[in-house]
Amino acid sequence: MTSYVAAMKRISIFRLKRRQSGAATILVILMIGVGLVTVSLGTLHSIRSTQERQLASHSQVNAQSGAWAAVEVVRQYLGTLTAEQIAGLGKNQPWTISGTDGLTQAAVITDVIAPAASATAYRVNAKVTATAVAAQSSSVIEVVYEVTPGKAPENFTLNGILDFYNDLNVGGGITLNVPGGANFNVDGDFTATSVGISGNSLGKVRVTGDIVLGSAVDASEVQGRNITLQGSAAVKVAKAFGTPLSEGGTLPPSGATDAQKKAATCCGNITMTGGTKADALYANGDITLGSSGVPIVEARGSVSVAGGGANHGTIKAGKNIDVTSATSAVSLAALGNIGLTGDFSVPTASAKGNIVCNSNAWKVYPSLNAGGTITGCNSDNPINNHAGLSPAPSFPLMEKLSPVTLVQPRVDAWTLQAAANYAFDFDGTHLKVTIKSVNGIVNDTYFLKARDGLNPREYICKSLTGGYCAGSTITLCHGFSENNSCFAATQTAGVTSLSINGKSFPPGVVWVKGNLILANGNYYNTFVATGSISTQGGTVSYALNYAAAYKDTAGAKKNAVCKNEFENGYKTASFDSLYPTNYCAADGKYTGNALGNIGMLAGGYDPADPANATTKSKYSGGLIKLDAKNSIYGSIVAGDLLETGGDTTVYGYISAAGLKLSDADNKLGGSTKVDVTNLPEGYKPDEIPDMSGGGAGVTAESKVLWSRYL
């Protein structure tokens, strides 16, 4: 019995141990399971965290990359600005940078520090941001740029308000509103015999050829090879230099070419006739006096006193003095002979050679001095007459006058194409325009066509649908009505002629390959053409620098370039956002340059012409012809010739460079007015761009000096 009980106890204990072992196993398994779940959950959390970190990192990298790309864009942009544009950068005004999908990039200028003393570099502080829209991440970088502004070749300064490089004939009525007189230059001959000049007189007139002044032309100083004053012309000072190789010789024949005239030997003569007037005459050659008295007369050659009734001052001659009229002078001095054959009165006369008087003359000469003989001269005091003096009477001869030299401007419209906001070309089928730096328009080349066959008003588009710019919303045309077009282009023998005839055009630099015809309208543009420019009807045109600060008919100051403040009747909502970004800041502030001083410029050296492949030897275009009624608020720069007619007013300088080297003449006719009074700030009519294509400039530099993440 005891054994049975003991055996049962062992079995029970064994069973209990087995049950306990099973529970433990289950517990271990459960514990392992929980551990595995924990590990799994930890692994999953780790994986998810890693994925989130990778996503966040990727998103942040995307934003940071975008921010650094924007930093580079701003750096490059700052490197294109002039010193004036950098100094005028608006602070705390955001710049939006476009071009990268999925990113919003912007920059804000926080400070601009001008260079100190002789330094040239500006410090420009900015905050540049980029936001990755989808990833909802952003990056902000604070940057300090060091910007050394670029400097273009020095601008060319026009020699005078009126500057011509071929012969110039002036007729009709000329009005000069030029305080102090209009400086006038002619590389050739200058003739003004049938002209009325009102307003201010001519200032300093410098001519390489001969000068003939008539009518009532008035000038402060004239310089020319030979000078003829006739009619009632009046000058304060006249200087005749002749041909520098010789003081003697003859004038070229009538009708001679420019080359013949310039090659001829002539003496530097001054001739006065009729009622002309002068205060002082100087000549390398001879002087012939008229009937009006001249206080100072000096010639390296001879002097002839032919006009009667005049009272002269001091007359000096390097050769002879010959008096044949009833007149008088304060004194005579000659390094040759003196002939007194007229009824002449003079207190004293001195000659290195002989003095000869008309023996029948009753005039008495108080004091005569000669190195040679004195013949036929009466004297009330013979003691004061001295002949055979040794040394003979002498005096310092006037310095030899130097010839006029003029610096001919280089006018080449082709060099200005890259600066155009609107560059027009015609391929024989379609008129196209390349647009650059215009707010609201992507830089590109566009067709200029109507949108349909019903309304001819032109719009721009990248491609044509059935020959039209269907659906386009941007127009460059403000016609006289909604049913009027503004542009017409033809092509003859490879030369394009573009006509613009409307109320107005978006402000900016307009460049035309070929000829340009402006008909009617009010324009706020600088016009440049590789061919010639002409006007028709009533044309009013404001150069950019003038248009940026002009006054309208009511006298209010306007900014037509950056703020589209056109005169009444010429404004259109179509142009409200179309301003040139290279001239206008985001706040509407205007920054000009020398090109903006030009109202019209024509002519150039076609780079496609084989004659200009190595040296620029063939000039094309260059005629500016202003007909009908014109008001040009800008300087006129013709590469070859200028012709005016009708009623023309130019509020600026006029230059005709004569680069075709032809024998044709410049012509100012009709009613031509030049007015340089009350000019707006920032408009400098005497400055034009250097178009030589080889001038030295300073290369711009823009670099990141310091940066950090915010």
Side-chain angles (χ1 to χ4, degrees), residues 606-632:
D606 187 349
D609 193 313
N612 297 321
T614 54
T615 60
K616 294 183 177 181
S617 58
K618 184 179 178 182
Y619 199 81
S620 58
L623 170 66
I624 295 181
K625 189 173 183 179
L626 305 177
D627 287 327
K629 183 175 178 61
N630 308 280
S631 294
I632 312 300

Side-chain angles (χ1 to χ4, degrees), residues 27 35 57 95 114 195 229 235 243 254 287 307 333 350 366 472 492 547 561:
L27 181 60
S57 177
W95 299 350
V195 60
L229 304 178
V235 300
T243 297
S254 176
I287 295 176
S350 299
S472 176
T492 304
V561 181

Side-chain angles (χ1 to χ4, degrees), residues 30 113 117 173 388 414 437 449 503 590 700:
L30 288 173
I113 303 172
W414 293 94
S437 301
K449 290 280 189 178
K503 281 191 173 183
Y590 178 84

